[in-house]
Amino acid sequence: MTGPRRPVRIGVQLQPQHAIYEAIRERAAELDDLGVDILFNWDHFYPLNGDPSGMHFESWTMLAALAEQTRRVELGALVNCNSYRNANLQADMARTIDQISAHGTGRGRFVFGTGSGWFERDYDEYGYEFGTVGQRLDALAHSLPVIEDRWTKLNPPPTRKIPILIGGAGEKKTLRIVAAHADIWHSYSDLPTLERKLAILGEHGRAVGRDVSRIEISAGVLDSIAHRSFQDADELHAMGTTLFTIGLSGPDYDLAVVHDWLAWRDHKNAR
């Protein structure tokens, strides 16, 4: 899949777990100053690893605060859970954060990262119907046109076309939703998997009548490539991946690895 040449971008997911909020706020400010391209959290209600009863914070309210405190970095959830909020409400919340993040420039920085949901404890503890994978994906497919339509009706409207990032790699439903709606597709794929998924994404694009080469390819940086040579990242980049996101957990959020990834980004973009 070939498309427009994009610069390499680096994202950092500050996982909102096992940390006091002051630590999250301070690291977000540091990442903004360092030149990270996108700052993510995630949309869960409990830690995903470590102590399951450890400290944890809610995604959207945090994103609004980070939008106010930062100046240049884009921000969003990796990813929002479609099941937890009415589609029209999601659109309004996204527009509001987009407007908050536009202070000083008039151009918002919010990225609408979304997915169908998967963490059953969230559903059980907060009273949502878990259903099946297929039902949750169908709900996401139904919600996205509603969200996009609501953005056209809000006053004031978003400051820009809010980019839609969709996370997930299911070949029958998820990638079809990506082909129809996403500006960014995020997965945790190794090279052979990515090659296969891109071919399937292309098939879905032809089926829905959309040029999927315009979708930015995003990869989560697993430990296997985060703390060693950049050979794997180089290979993913050669396959078309341009957004690489490092996940950091509390309590301390060690940013040392981020410096290495930013240097790699700058080297790639200088070529």
Side-chain angles (χ1 to χ4, degrees):
M1 185 175 74
T2 59
R5 187 180 186 277
R6 297 183 182 87
V8 172
R9 302 199 293 163
I10 299 299
V12 174
Q13 182 189 56
L14 287 179
Q15 300 164 0
Q17 60 177 9
H18 308 307
I20 59 174
Y21 184 71
E22 286 80 357
I24 296 171
R25 183 175 58 220
E26 289 171 4
R27 293 299 176 269
E30 290 180 51
L31 292 168
D32 192 29
D33 290 340
L34 281 174
V36 165
D37 296 287
I38 306 184
L39 175 62
F40 294 108
N41 61 12
W42 66 32
D43 187 22
H44 295 288
F45 305 129
Y46 297 93
L48 297 188
N49 48 60
D51 180 0
S53 61
M55 288 187 290
H56 197 278
F57 291 100
E58 193 275 328
S59 171
W60 282 84
T61 46
M62 176 184 292
L63 289 170
L66 295 177
E68 182 64 43
Q69 95 170 51
T70 55
R71 289 294 177 267
R72 50 152 305 280
V73 69
E74 290 192 302
L75 67 162
L78 194 66
V79 288
N80 167 65
C81 177
N82 178 68
S83 304
Y84 301 159
R85 302 162 192 89
N86 169 279
N88 285 287
L89 175 61
Q90 292 179 58
D92 204 342
M93 293 164 69
R95 179 282 310 255
T96 299
I97 297 178
D98 171 78
Q99 287 277 347
I100 292 170
S101 69
H103 53 81
T105 67
R107 180 173 172 80
R109 296 176 283 117
F110 185 72
V111 175
F112 184 66
T114 194
S116 60
W118 63 273
F119 190 41
E120 190 168 3
R121 184 186 180 192
D122 284 347
Y123 289 80
D124 292 344
E125 294 271 7
Y126 277 58
Y128 297 107
E129 180 66 33
F130 188 56
T132 67
V133 173
Q135 288 170 334
R136 296 193 300 277
L137 284 167
D138 289 344
L140 177 63
H142 178 267
S143 291
L144 282 165
V146 175
I147 291 165
E148 292 167 323
D149 181 63
R150 178 56 58 186
W151 283 336
T152 70
K153 298 175 178 177
L154 293 168
N155 184 17
T159 66
R160 62 171 182 168
K161 180 190 181 300
I162 295 176
I164 295 174
L165 178 155
I166 297 175
E171 296 178 0
K172 292 183 178 180
K173 289 191 174 184
T174 303
L175 289 181
R176 189 175 183 89
I177 298 169
V178 169
H181 297 283
D183 300 290
I184 307 168
W185 169 51
H186 179 84
S187 73
Y188 294 89
S189 298
D190 59 22
L191 196 64
T193 302
L194 180 63
E195 186 172 17
R196 185 179 75 254
K197 304 283 185 183
L198 287 175
I200 294 167
L201 180 60
E203 294 172 3
H204 285 305
R206 288 186 287 274
V208 302
R210 186 159 180 246
D211 178 7
V212 298
S213 71
R214 304 190 69 82
I215 299 172
E216 184 174 16
I217 307 304
S218 170
V221 175
L222 301 173
D223 286 344
S224 60
I225 65 172
H227 298 284
R228 62 175 195 168
S229 76
F230 285 91
Q231 179 179 346
D232 290 349
D234 288 334
E235 292 174 349
L236 288 170
H237 179 247
M239 282 291 299
T241 304
T242 55
L243 175 57
F244 296 81
T245 297
I246 305 146
L248 299 178
S249 181
D252 300 318
Y253 300 109
D254 184 359
L255 304 189
V257 69
V258 177
H259 292 266
D260 295 336
W261 278 87
L262 291 175
W264 177 79
R265 175 201 66 185
D266 294 344
H267 173 72
K268 283 290 187 185
N269 289 340
R271 297 173 66 178

